[in-house]
């Protein structure tokens, strides 16, 4: 990292020293001991413009405080049947880890139906998975690998800068052969693990554990963690049911254009002409 970037980071750190204690507290739940690396993420998102990056981070912290995101991992979706319905219609999961110890997160793009519960439950579940990933999964992976592991924001290719495009590889078919170069078979998402010709070399019945299902190890660990956190906070009190309403800022026209582009790109395979209607 060059001296100019170092100076920019120091300016950002100086600005963050002036935020109030509530913001400092929720910021700790974001950086997990790596404040500088977290600030770099926001700087990169705003082309290393300190003022714009600072504004973005402050808005993020304000959103977390207003919506009590720091406590969301102590608010389980109950009863279990309701949570199972959410999992069956919101297809996201962690299938395992790469050979370098990086979490392998699978998303059923275009396959989630979101029709088994109210939208607030889906929003709540989505945020819970992100928070669990950032507070539990990634710190654990960091300790095991000996290097800091975090997340980054990725959009569809037409919206990315060239340096980010070069980091993305689109695999043919299910991509199993290429994925096996960086992860073991046991970490492949279930939709990449089918054996041809009825082979059962890797499993007793030729099928794999569905990483989207509540029965998968990751989702069992996540759900149990949330229930345990709720018990710690509300010892002796029944767990209260209820979805979480999260406020979202009204997007500006540019954000709306980006959202439409992303939606178009996700559905492009189904459009033989490769055209988008805006």
């Amino acid at each position: 990292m060059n001296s100019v970037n170092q100076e920019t980071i120091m300016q950002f750190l100086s600005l963050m020293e002036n935020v109030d204690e509530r913001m400092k507290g929720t910021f700790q739940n974001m950086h997990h001991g790596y404040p500088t690396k977290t600030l770099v993420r926001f700087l990169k998102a705003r082309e290393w413009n300190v003022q714009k990056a600072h504004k973005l981070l402050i808005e993020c912290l304000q959103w977390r405080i207003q919506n009590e995101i720091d406590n969301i991992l102590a608010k389980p979706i109950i009863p279990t049947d309701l949570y199972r319905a959410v999992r069956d219609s919101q297809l996201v999961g962690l299938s395992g880890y790469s050979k370098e110890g990086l979490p392998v997160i699978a998303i059923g793009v275009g396959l989630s139906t979101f029709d088994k519960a109210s939208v607030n439950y889906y929003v709540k579940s989505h945020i819970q998975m992100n928070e669990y990933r950032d507070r539990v999964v990634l710190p654990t992976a960091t300790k095991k690998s000996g290097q800091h592991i975090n997340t980054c924001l990725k959009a569809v290719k037409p919206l990315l800068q060239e340096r980010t495009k070069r980091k993305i590889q689109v695999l043919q078919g299910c991509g199993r052969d290429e994925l096996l170069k960086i992860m073991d078979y046991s970490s492949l998402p279930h939709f990449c693990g089918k054996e041809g010709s009825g082979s059962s070399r890797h499993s007793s019945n030729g099928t794999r554990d569905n990483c989207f299902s509540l029965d998968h190890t990751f989702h069992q660990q996540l759900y149990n963690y949330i229930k345990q956190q709720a018990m710690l906070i509300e010892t002796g009190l029944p767990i209260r049911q209820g979805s979480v309403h999260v406020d979202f800022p009204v997007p500006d026209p540019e954000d709306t254009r980006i959202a439409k582009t992303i939606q178009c790109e996700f559905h492009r395979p189904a459009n033989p002409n490769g055209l988008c209607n805006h």
Side-chain angles (χ1 to χ4, degrees):
M1 188 174 296
N2 59 46
S3 58
V4 175
N5 289 348
Q6 288 284 12
E7 182 179 351
T8 302
I9 293 172
M10 294 305 296
Q11 292 177 7
F12 202 170
L13 284 169
S14 178
L15 289 174
M16 291 305 297
E17 290 178 356
N18 297 322
V19 301
D20 62 37
E21 292 303 315
R22 292 187 68 188
M23 283 195 176
K24 289 180 180 179
T26 196
F27 183 50
Q28 288 181 348
N29 276 334
M30 289 182 61
H31 67 63
H32 306 290
Y34 296 91
T36 299
K37 291 182 180 296
T38 301
L39 295 183
V40 168
R41 288 170 52 197
F42 281 83
L43 285 167
K44 288 181 177 179
R46 289 297 179 265
E47 297 295 321
W48 291 86
N49 183 303
V50 177
Q51 297 301 324
K52 291 182 178 180
H54 179 253
K55 179 177 182 293
L56 179 65
L57 178 54
I58 292 300
E59 289 174 349
C60 176
L61 298 179
Q62 289 174 338
W63 174 82
R64 291 181 63 90
I65 292 171
Q66 291 168 2
N67 294 284
E68 300 182 348
I69 302 302
D70 290 340
N71 297 324
I72 201 166
L73 288 180
K75 299 177 180 179
I77 295 175
I78 54 175
T80 303
D81 287 345
L82 174 59
Y83 188 61
R84 181 177 296 279
V86 171
R87 293 273 51 79
D88 290 343
S89 51
Q90 184 185 39
L91 306 184
V92 183
L94 190 154
S95 62
Y97 294 83
S98 71
K99 295 177 181 179
E100 294 182 350
L102 304 175
V104 178
I105 297 176
I107 302 175
V109 176
L111 300 177
S112 297
T113 57
F114 304 107
D115 60 351
K116 306 295 184 183
S118 71
V119 64
N120 286 338
Y121 285 114
Y122 289 110
V123 172
K124 177 179 179 179
S125 176
H126 176 76
I127 296 174
Q128 284 179 332
M129 282 190 287
N130 286 346
E131 289 294 302
Y132 183 75
R133 175 200 64 202
D134 293 345
R135 296 193 213 176
V136 179
V137 174
L138 295 180
T140 300
T142 294
K143 291 180 180 179
K144 289 183 178 180
S145 67
Q147 59 180 346
H148 180 234
I149 299 174
N150 65 3
T151 57
C152 62
L153 299 178
K154 294 182 179 179
V156 292
K157 195 170 183 178
L159 304 175
L160 298 177
Q161 296 183 2
E162 286 301 322
R163 66 172 183 270
T164 306
K165 291 179 182 178
R166 290 193 291 268
K167 299 177 183 179
I168 297 177
Q169 180 180 3
V170 179
L171 306 179
Q172 297 296 320
C174 70
R176 184 182 63 188
D177 292 340
E178 291 298 318
L179 291 174
L180 286 174
K181 295 177 182 179
I182 61 173
M183 68 185 72
D184 294 331
Y185 189 89
S186 60
S187 292
L188 282 177
H190 62 283
F191 49 81
C192 296
K194 295 180 180 179
E195 293 293 332
S197 305
S199 170
S200 59
R201 180 178 57 180
H202 295 286
S203 60
S204 60
N205 58 5
T207 61
R208 291 191 50 76
D209 190 11
N210 186 338
C211 64
F212 299 147
S213 170
L214 176 57
D215 295 323
H216 189 269
T217 301
F218 166 72
H219 284 299
Q220 283 291 304
Q221 292 174 342
L222 166 60
Y223 197 41
N224 288 335
Y225 179 90
I226 295 173
K227 290 189 291 185
Q228 290 170 1
Q229 294 301 304
M231 291 179 64
L232 290 175
I233 292 178
E234 302 182 13
T235 303
L237 298 176
I239 297 176
R240 294 191 296 270
Q241 170 62 315
S243 61
V244 171
H245 176 76
V246 177
D247 293 323
F248 293 96
V250 177
D252 61 30
E254 178 65 11
D255 291 336
T256 300
R257 183 190 69 80
I258 290 174
K260 288 183 178 180
T261 304
I262 292 174
Q263 183 180 33
C264 168
E265 291 298 320
F266 279 160
H267 290 86
R268 188 178 293 278
N271 187 338
N273 298 320
L275 300 176
C276 285
N277 297 318
H278 295 295

